[in-house]
């Protein structure tokens, strides 16, 4: 574990010797009646730390949790599983209280009970509006990203907007090449328009610098998709056309893994896009399990999808627990609140334009090395 | 064909004897080099009527067109095909002009060159904002729906918002049972929350009338999904729980076909949800081919997806051509404009709350029979 | 006082015999040092009931309160006064606690401690989003308006949007003529465009039914303003041009008082518009003192201005206390929340289109008489 | 006149020798029938260059024009006057055509008929959305501001949002002190919250850096207003409290003139706020006559008000004509479009957060000196 003093707050586990918890029964499990079917009274997880009492004072923290899943007990190991992936006979945790009385304890304040000045510094604050002062949120974001570049796992969740503008594409490339991205989650559109820009300098046919609508430009994204399908893949396309800049090229050059999830809005799709929505979820969850910081930008669909998968905490290899940061960048309070209301309570909303956001972020981070 | 005088405008085909078109060459086709790969210079369709010159003055109208697809010539028949569905060797139309010089003619004004008062009455107007006067758009919508209930094919594209409110659920049920719906397109969320409401009277745990947040209500949608999975399907769930009201029950009772497209945001999913995004597109396209009026409400994802699939015209069994109406109901100009910018130029945006919209629509239509 | 059982909740005053309040000192006052200048430590009002202890157990409720004003003690009478209207030597209440310890007691829960089912029925609920179920809010609004038409004082605060559409202008006229309006607050624009529509059938030059942009239509609002200035007033204009429909004609016909507050955006202005912002505040406050229900529609400026002036309660002639209802109709959560955050905590936000809102409201109210 | 080559496009006047214009009659004037009342058929101005034919081939350009005003001929001088300021007997231009046939000629393309590459570089582009690529707009803005700092007149129109955040207040101060502001237009709220921040480090009681809601913080803006009223003015307040940072202090230190226009939403107001809406318009118009670049940020009210007053061109002392740049920064397309629809066709909308915008702008400008 890295030295996190001053950047990442430490975690205080529950006091299991408190009378109420000391007297808690062991949690109960019931076998799943069929594949993908849960027993009655199943317990659903949140994205906060939940402890399960196995009896005799042994409480286990569910690792790699997420919203609206179930806990399967396997020997003395807990696994947080999507209901559709539960197998007949899996031992599924039941009980809907979270205060210990059924052996389940939800621990909300683990990162909050710090002495000053940390309590103030790291406290989660209320969600903002476009008029909220974001200076400190930005300062913290810079700190967190610098820390997690080397000692964490930064996941970007991107809508296509960042590919429509020259400066923001350059900034994304800079950020990715400087090590600030460990995984990219997006849809067919982001990849398509980024590759369109790499080849044609347009996004949906509009020049990404001059804003000029190019003649026949509406063919550009169809042509790039067709060329990618002909080439057999995005890496092959990049080679064949000698594409060099933008998001997808940065991923290729730096070996950054990406998940492109298909949707019913897609043209194409590009080869490599995952067609099945739930296979795409599984591929995204792989990164949710590792994430320490998430930047979800200008995509309500992918932001909420990934927000549902990401816990508010992460158990490190050494057993220590740290918070997971989740930043949502969007233009409307409605989109940001929707994510928070779906359960990602730790999400920090930054109400601004996606292109400006990434340009500023990169200007700031590159300056200070 | 029904008597449409006074409601549905008639269509004026192009004047192929005009010198420019009379001199047009036959269009060219090139075989597709591989499955799902297009020949260079392929011609992409819009959602407007396009005519292809087969030579000798024989011009064919591409039937059942849509945005961003290609035209495959098969004998003397034209088919508008998604690029991913093109097979190796298919004869794909090439050429990117639309004025006849390569044998392809895009005909925009077919519904506009009417004598007064029809020209005014049926002209497509500019897109609106929240301050646009919508009185006449509503009056036309009422007329069109009354006509198309019996003589057309009305497709609803629904986001979950309409299921969150008692009055709007009742209105949807009323509209569907009165014959104003021939197909429903939605996602897992609409069906889930509608069934949640049918069983628990809540939407995401909030009472759909009193707005009260119910204790443990956040389990409701997970429970209804689990019960559906246990029952083996939505129809079985409806039977087993004796559900009786709302959108999905109305579909069941009236035999209205529906397509539920999966997405990465889904919990569950419910049985019957189509997992693969492109199989879902194919299922939606079936209804796009038949649609005469579309109401797309409170869902940017599904609205744009279906908007890309729906032509602005429909060729009836008797060969006559009529317009396809596409209404988008949303709260933001951005969402409505985005659909229009993606090519559904005929889309009429109604900027309002989805729940209000359906309540008012039903109040109006039921009153006048 | 009217019989309000079943519609308007009753009020429970504080228990002044509780030890904490029984032991409270008399409140202190300090004379204002100059006209429009407050003494240090002045007490600022909220829009909730506040009681002031005059000593000896005599607690007075500040009548006709509002946000961010001060309480002036005059003999044994309390008056809630805008700071700019305080005169040198006025006895201004000081103290910033609200729990009695300085003789000031803020009473929040007066309308909430009712026995079931009233507690539930009348409880103020949380603010909504566009996806909130509004069925019950509408049902309550209908009830409240029917009650207050005869036994209350209904104030409409209108932006110009309702004048841009034929159906909504007709609905406004219907509502006003049926007695559902006791005062209208608006700006120059609402009156201008309503009179423009009465004379030219346009709003900013666009036909209010067909949406057609009329040739030279951008002169229409300038012409109607010029004619009003020539005529010497809005009533004279109505006579001279024999205007007959819409909002301003309904006011004229029914003798409904209105306040038109000038703003820096105005063309003209129309005669009768109040030029001075603070004279306009004073004119609006006259109606704030009487209001029992407020409908603030499609105007952030006027909604927040009036929201700051309206108390959450009203003391009737017989000394009884009732709630004041405040409905805000707007398209964005941001606008609605902004009002609530500025202190009008009782505001119920209805997220929808202003035109639809008034059309539906009138359809509903006229049907049931 | 400065050397503007490469930054500010030059202007091509109309070809008055073209037959249509050569044959134009002299324009007609009619005396105003009363103070503030216009003759029938009055001509209303736009914000584009309009030429008036005095006869004999003498065409005069209306200087310092604006939307929706009239042209008064005084000797051989044209003045663009607000209708309310017209005096009885003023010679008011009449005629509603703009192609010369009544001696009035509207000249739209004066800045567009340039040879390449200028035509492209300086062409006004279509309005944007949140997904528009703004890279080039920013680059142009930087150039224009650097030029106009020394050779133009830069007017800022500010909503209160920029005062709510530490970084954006610092950036505003930096920009103003570096010479990038020649006049500030705002309301009571901007000044109040900026002074609140200077004294209390809060905006509406919330810490402008930490976001913490301060105890009793809702008194802060009332206290600062009261202190300003006691001190007798904003300059006196700054002296007395030794305020040192933010927008108002920068204005005081650099002698930047400001207009604070009162509104019905105001608390206070601060001394110096103009109470009368139309006196405020007159004070704003003084700066509209001089403006070469306008930055209107996060205020729909003031942006539209000033947008109505600012011409799209400015006649320099040497008779040369240059464009006036008008940038609108807002979070919603609706607000930006509304300004454009009210006639400020040259307005460039930048869809982003106001705080980010000014921070980035200052980061960029200070870097390059």
């Amino acid at each position: 574990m890295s030295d996190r003093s001053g950047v990442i707050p430490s975690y205080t586990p529950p006091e299991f010797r408190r009378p109420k918890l000391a007297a808690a029964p062991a949690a109960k499990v019931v076998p799943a009646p069929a594949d993908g079917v849960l027993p009655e009274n199943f317990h659903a997880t949140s994205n906060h730390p939940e402890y399960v009492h196995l009896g005799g004072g042994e409480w286990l923290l569910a690792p790699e949790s997420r919203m609206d899943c179930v806990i399967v007990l396997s020997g003395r190991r807990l696994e947080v599983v999507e209901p559709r992936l539960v197998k007949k006979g899996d031992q599924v945790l039941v009980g809907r209280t979270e205060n210990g009385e059924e052996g389940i304890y939800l621990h909300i304040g683990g990162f909050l009970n710090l002495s000053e000045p940390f309590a103030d510094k790291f406290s989660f604050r209320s969600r903002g509006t476009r008029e909220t002062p974001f200076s400190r949120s930005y300062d913290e974001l810079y700190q967190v990203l610098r820390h997690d570049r080397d000692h964490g796992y930064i996941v970007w969740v991107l809508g296509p907007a960042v590919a429509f503008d020259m400066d923001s594409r350059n900034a994304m490339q800079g950020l990715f090449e400087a090590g600030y991205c460990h995984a990219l989650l997006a849809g067919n559109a982001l990849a398509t328009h980024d590759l369109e820009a790499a080849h044609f300098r347009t996004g949906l046919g509009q020049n990404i610098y001059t804003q000029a609508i190019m003649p026949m430009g509406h063919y550009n994204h169809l042509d790039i998709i067709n060329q990618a399908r002909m080439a057999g893949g995005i890496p092959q396309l990049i080679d064949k056309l000698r594409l060099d800049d933008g998001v997808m090229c940065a991923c290729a050059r730096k070996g950054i893994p990406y998940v492109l999830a298909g949707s019913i809005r897609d043209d194409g799709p590009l080869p490599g896009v995952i067609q099945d929505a739930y296979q795409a979820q599984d591929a995204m969850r792989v990164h949710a399990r590792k994430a320490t910081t998430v930047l979800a930008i200008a995509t309500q669909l992918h932001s909420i999808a990934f927000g549902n998968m990401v816990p508010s905490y992460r158990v490190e290899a050494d057993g220590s627990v740290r918070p997971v940061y989740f930043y949502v960048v969007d233009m409307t309070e409605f989109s940001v609140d929707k994510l928070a209301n779906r359960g990602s309570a730790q999400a920090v909303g930054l109400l601004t334009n996606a292109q400006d956001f990434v340009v500023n972020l990169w200007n700031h981070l590159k300056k200070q090395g």
Side-chain angles (χ1 to χ4, degrees), chain A:
Chain A
M1 196 193 83
S2 66
D3 172 19
R4 301 190 306 230
S5 54
V7 179
I8 307 296
S10 64
Y11 176 75
T12 308
E15 275 288 356
F16 290 112
R17 286 165 306 187
R18 271 188 295 152
K20 178 127 197 198
L21 294 182
K28 292 205 184 112
V29 291
V30 171
D35 283 5
V37 179
L38 305 171
E40 264 188 66
N41 199 35
F42 62 87
H43 177 76
T45 51
S46 72
N47 63 348
H48 294 299
E50 292 186 60
Y51 289 84
V52 177
H53 188 208
L54 300 190
E58 183 181 2
W59 290 85
L60 288 191
L61 172 59
E64 300 176 349
S65 192
R66 54 156 294 177
M67 286 292 299
D68 290 342
C69 280
V70 294
I71 296 176
V72 170
L73 184 66
S74 163
R76 303 195 83 73
R77 217 166 51 80
L78 304 177
E79 200 176 354
V80 175
V81 180
E82 284 81 359
R84 66 185 157 79
L85 298 178
V86 165
K87 295 295 171 200
K88 180 173 179 172
D90 276 356
Q91 299 295 320
V92 175
L93 191 72
V94 295
R96 295 193 169 179
T97 59
E98 300 170 329
N99 61 357
E101 67 186 63
E102 292 172 287
I104 304 166
Y105 184 71
L106 180 72
H107 186 49
I108 295 283
F111 298 114
L112 300 180
N113 45 1
L114 301 163
S115 59
E116 290 288 346
F118 293 96
D120 178 60
K121 187 166 184 195
F122 297 117
S123 64
F124 294 121
R125 286 176 301 265
S126 65
R127 281 172 269 148
T129 74
R130 62 194 66 178
E131 295 188 345
T132 296
F134 289 126
S135 295
R136 177 172 150 184
S137 299
Y138 282 123
D139 286 348
E140 287 183 350
L141 173 61
Y142 304 145
Q143 277 193 306
V144 167
L145 287 177
R146 280 202 201 89
H147 179 275
D148 282 3
R149 177 182 52 180
D150 303 319
H151 309 294
Y153 195 86
I154 304 170
V155 180
W156 291 74
V157 183
L158 290 183
V162 294
F164 288 147
D165 175 64
M166 189 187 72
D167 284 351
S168 67
R169 272 183 90 245
N170 290 346
M172 288 307 310
Q173 181 183 335
L175 287 160
F176 279 27
E177 293 185 351
Y180 287 105
C181 177
H182 300 97
L184 166 66
L185 310 181
N188 184 64
L190 180 272
T192 296
H193 296 302
D194 178 67
L195 294 167
E196 176 191 348
H199 191 53
F200 293 106
R201 298 293 130 198
T202 60
L204 269 177
Q206 182 177 30
N207 186 288
I208 62 170
Y209 182 65
T210 67
Q211 297 186 7
I213 309 297
M214 306 310 291
M216 294 288 164
H218 61 290
Y219 272 99
N220 290 356
H221 75 286
L222 300 175
D223 278 335
I224 203 77
I225 290 170
N226 193 46
Q227 298 218 40
R229 293 174 72 96
M230 191 174 299
I234 293 173
Q236 295 88 329
L237 177 79
I238 290 173
D239 280 355
K240 191 171 160 194
L241 300 186
R242 303 186 181 198
L243 304 181
D244 194 48
D245 57 26
V247 174
M248 300 311 296
C249 287
C251 287
R253 192 144 50 228
K254 304 293 285 187
I256 299 168
Y258 51 82
V259 176
L260 302 178
S263 103
I264 54 175
R265 270 170 65 171
D266 296 346
D267 287 308
L270 288 170
V273 169
I274 301 177
Q275 308 206 164
D276 183 290
Y278 310 114
Q279 286 178 18
Q281 284 185 345
D282 294 344
M284 293 165 76
R285 178 96 195 275
V286 169
H287 301 290
R289 293 178 189 272
K290 301 180 189 171
T292 58
T293 295
V294 180
L295 289 148
I297 300 184
T299 164
Q300 194 173 293
L301 174 62
H302 293 257
S303 294
I304 295 179
F306 198 59
N308 287 344
M309 294 180 194
V310 173
S312 66
Y313 65 99
R314 175 167 161 70
V315 183
E316 303 276 22
D318 65 358
S320 67
V321 177
R322 60 158 279 176
V324 174
Y325 293 91
F326 199 112
Y327 295 90
V328 191
V329 179
D330 204 287
M331 289 290 275
T332 65
E333 286 79 8
F334 180 66
S335 293
V336 170
D337 289 357
K338 196 154 180 167
L339 177 58
N341 291 338
R342 291 294 183 279
S344 297
Q346 92 273 33
V348 173
L350 298 168
L351 278 288
T352 193
N353 183 292
Q355 298 174 359
D356 277 2
F357 174 80
V358 298
V359 170
N360 307 334
L361 184 59
W362 177 228
N363 281 342
H364 198 94
L365 291 175
K366 83 177 160 193
K367 200 169 53 188
Q368 314 205 345

